[in-house]
Amino acid sequence: QVQLVESGGGLVQPGRSLRLSCAASGILFINYNMAWYRQAPGEQRELVARIGVGGSTNYADSVKDRFAISRDNSKNTIYLQMNNLKPDDTAVYYCEAQDRLRPVNYWGQGTQVTVSS
């Protein structure tokens, strides 16, 4: 019963900030690379940010220098700090856990982020 539960989404005006959280359970968290993806209506799911088991990060070009991913292994949680939000950031944001040793991954149900004036 693996669970990834996202929270923190909502409706914000352009230029404001949000912080998303993803709480994981049912996995040995320290063995998983973690990531945030997003999917806008009519679009494919795209990688937003990834954080490895050792803390290394990478970002999509569209969010680089605006978003920051982090992880707290003591809480089995990852975060996505989103600053200077733009309307194009509007999407459902999904949390992903990738096993570093096995060909298996898990997904959360997503949290809606809407950026609109």
Side-chain angles (χ1 to χ4, degrees):
Q1 60 276 31
V2 176
Q3 281 197 102
L4 303 175
V5 181
E6 302 96 336
S7 61
L11 172 64
V12 297
Q13 295 179 355
R16 300 301 298 268
S17 299
L18 282 175
R19 189 192 192 206
L20 306 183
S21 299
C22 171
S25 60
I27 62 171
L28 191 58
F29 187 75
I30 59 172
N31 288 341
Y32 283 77
N33 301 310
M34 303 294 295
W36 288 99
Y37 286 73
R38 68 187 182 188
Q39 188 168 23
E43 302 291 335
Q44 294 188 137
R45 189 172 297 187
E46 65 175 352
L47 176 68
V48 177
R50 176 171 283 139
I51 185 164
V53 296
S56 62
T57 60
N58 63 280
Y59 298 90
D61 289 343
S62 59
V63 307
K64 203 173 185 67
D65 300 323
R66 296 191 298 121
F67 292 8
I69 189 171
S70 60
R71 66 191 293 160
D72 186 340
N73 290 339
S74 71
K75 296 182 178 180
N76 288 359
T77 299
I78 65 165
Y79 306 93
L80 185 67
Q81 179 65 45
M82 305 186 294
N83 298 322
N84 192 24
L85 283 160
K86 304 175 179 180
D88 284 350
D89 296 320
T90 296
V92 178
Y93 284 72
Y94 297 92
C95 179
E96 183 218 29
Q98 176 198 334
D99 194 308
R100 66 174 180 167
L101 298 176
R102 299 180 297 154
V104 61
N105 63 343
Y106 303 98
W107 295 92
Q109 294 299 304
T111 185
Q112 177 72 48
V113 172
T114 302
V115 184
S116 177
S117 59

